[in-house]
Amino acid sequence: MSAGDEVRVFIVDDDASVRRSLRALLGEVGVPAADFPSAEALLEVVHEDTRGCVLLDVRMPGMSGLQLQEVLRERGLKLLVIVLTGHADVPMAVRAMKAGAVDFIEKPFNPQLLIERIQACLDAEAQAHARGQRRRDAEALLRSLSTREREVLELLVTGKPSKVIASTLGISEKTVDVHRSHLMRKTGTRSVAELVQLWVVAWGKEPGS
Amino acid sequence: MLSVAVPLGLALCLLLALPFLLHYHLEETRARQHALDSENRVLELAQQAAVQEVASVLSDLRFLHEQNEMRDLLRGDAPGARERLAAEYLTFVSQKPRYEQAAVIGADGGEVVRVDGNDGRPTVAGAPALQWKGDCAHFQETMRLGRGEVHLSPLDLILQGGAVQMPLKPVLRASVALFGAGGERRGVLTLSYHGRRLLTRLRAYAQGGASQLWLLNEQGYWLAGPDPALEWGFAFPERSDRTLAAREPEAWERIRAEVAGTVDTADGLLTFRRVYPLAGDASASDAPAMASPHRYSWTLATLLPHAALSKRMAGLAGTLLAVYGVTAPLLFGGTLWLTYRSARGRARLREAQRRERERMLELAHANRLASVGEMATQMAHQVNQPLTAIVTYCAAAQRSLQSGAGDLSRVREWVDAIGEEAQRVSAIVRGLREFVRRGKMAPVPLDLGEVVAGVVGALRPDADRRRVKLGVETPAGLPAVLADRVLVAQALLNLVRNAIEAVSVEPSERRRVVVSLALEGDRVVVSVADTGPGVDPGLAGRLFESFVTTKPEGLGMGLSITRSIVEAHGGQLRYDPAPSGGAVFSFSLRRSAP
């Protein structure tokens, strides 16, 4: 299992004491963690498949927390970010959340609360990861269909009857039925309703929209 | 203060004495000259009197010599010529009491005619009273003279029976030789003049003055002297050493060598003048054969006692001393007073400087208190980091202990870390307390790089918020400077904050402030450069004054306080326009001794 597959907490803070204490706490809780003294150090390690959650101090020399968030988004990384800040004023919170942070915690924090937030974040990450997995699976199923099957499917999920599909595609009703049974067997669905659900998971949108 | 004032006052008093001494000296010289003039006047009158007196004696002698009765006698053929001559002389001596005697001595030395003055009752000496004068000096010498020549005897005392006649009778004998028709010497005509009369007349000139008048003969014997016992030394064997020559050899030397002069003696100022009695003889020119008048001389002298001179000066000395006695204490007192005043003035100046420094410290303190709000954000962040670490370590330790299976060595490590973090918090709080404390200036060896880092750290949140790039350029190996940590930090804080505010009006890509340090000789120069609009040249001159500000809400105290702090450290706050626009504020601090 590569490092990118393990779910971890990435601690980014210029203060070594804060980093070490967080490592100690997370170790005690049983959450795998890694720590980095700067945003640049983190960016050297993470990649598209890296899973986990970033505990980010917004105020650091060099690249700031907000700038790091931008870079992560540009690179399409799916890491979730919890912003830690010493001066939790409203404009700072707004900027952090706008930049895509899932949470915002003021230093010094209640450790219990921090752990809960981290757990919540990891749960959300896991869900997002699972959601992504399902979408990728559905997409793979749909991509395995032939061109004609896909044309039939697109019309099926919009609720068109076989007669309309046949006339639309310029084929016989019987041929439409054959295609339907093939694609349902390939996708493992037993009804049009299941087909619609698979479509939504794969493409993330209602058919016909 | 007194240690300066007293010697100074004494020195000034001594200086003041100089003009007094000079004045006294000039006065003394003048008084001495005055006295000399006066003495010389007395001597001149006395000289004239002596010469006149002798001249009149000679005149009388010639008159008697040319008388008809004398011619008759010399012709020798006229009977009763001797009696007629005696009668004539009797009348003459009666008319002229200045003469003691008028006598004609024959060629054999025997008196032919003699009339004695006899103290105002002149008598003709009868034949038995006539004496033989052949052994007398004046007779013998006159017998050797030519026709018309006059012999003048020394001023001498009359002897009687080989002894000096008492009371003393000074006498001056003027004689002329008598010649017969055939040119043969027939005898001598002698007029004896009362010396007392001459001496009295001479002494009269010195009367009323402080000095004595002396008359000395050629041997240095007093004829008129300081004391009757010293006079006529040559006439008394026991007085033969009573001469001026013996008493004052040096003075006598001068008198012999010079015709007139002045000499200082132990008794006083001796002024002298040689007198030639025969020089006044009116007929001398008619008698070329007469002996040289300069062969015969007296010396006239006056002695002005020192006491007389110093008595004259004593009055002046008294006056001068009185004036000096009044002015010197005034001068001395004035010096003390002025010294005291200037010492007070200096003390007041020091007091004013001390107050100015106190005011600066006071203002600086107020300025720091005003900065505390700004510092709070930075403080919060600084304190938050260790606090965060502390609570996190605590939670980890609690969990480890609760689980029961905790690794105690790890927990111990965390507790140690908690202690360290608490120390960090403590140091930060101490720093703040120091920053706001009110206190005296306490210069210590200081690492300016550290101060710059602290100030830049404190202002970075503000700079970030304003999107100002805040840079630091500090070369390695700079020496420490001697300065008060808090005050220097404050001065720098004011400059950097001003710079951040100044660049905030520029477009964000131009907002840059650089704090740099550099070593220049034995000083470290701190400069704060910004890329702002710079300072209006019209304002640049008054920039460091109080209440001068370009900010709508500024009090105008920041630069003034910064300047005060820098000057209190012996430095100077400078403003220079940056070459690329913007402003550079700088000051320098002396490095501490290595």
Side-chain angles (χ1 to χ4, degrees), chain A residues 36 42 67 91 130 167 197:
Chain A
F36 305 88
L42 175 74
Q67 288 169 322
S167 68
Q197 199 180 356

Side-chain angles (χ1 to χ4, degrees), chain B residues 449-530:
Chain B
E450 212 173 84
V451 175
V452 169
V455 167
V456 167
L459 290 175
R460 194 173 290 288
D462 189 35
D464 286 349
R465 198 164 50 240
R466 294 169 184 262
R467 294 170 193 269
V468 174
K469 277 188 182 150
L470 187 51
V472 175
E473 290 172 8
T474 53
L478 279 181
V481 296
L482 200 63
D484 183 289
R485 177 185 298 275
V486 171
L487 289 176
V488 168
Q490 181 179 9
L492 192 58
L493 187 86
N494 285 339
L495 293 181
V496 177
R497 187 171 48 202
N498 278 353
I500 289 172
E501 284 172 12
V503 295
S504 294
V505 301
E506 299 287 316
S508 57
E509 67 274 11
R510 261 186 63 80
R511 296 178 195 168
R512 189 167 164 73
V513 174
V514 178
V515 184
S516 53
L517 297 178
L519 185 62
E520 274 182 21
D522 64 341
R523 302 182 78 89
V524 178
V525 180
V526 185
S527 42
V528 178
D530 67 55

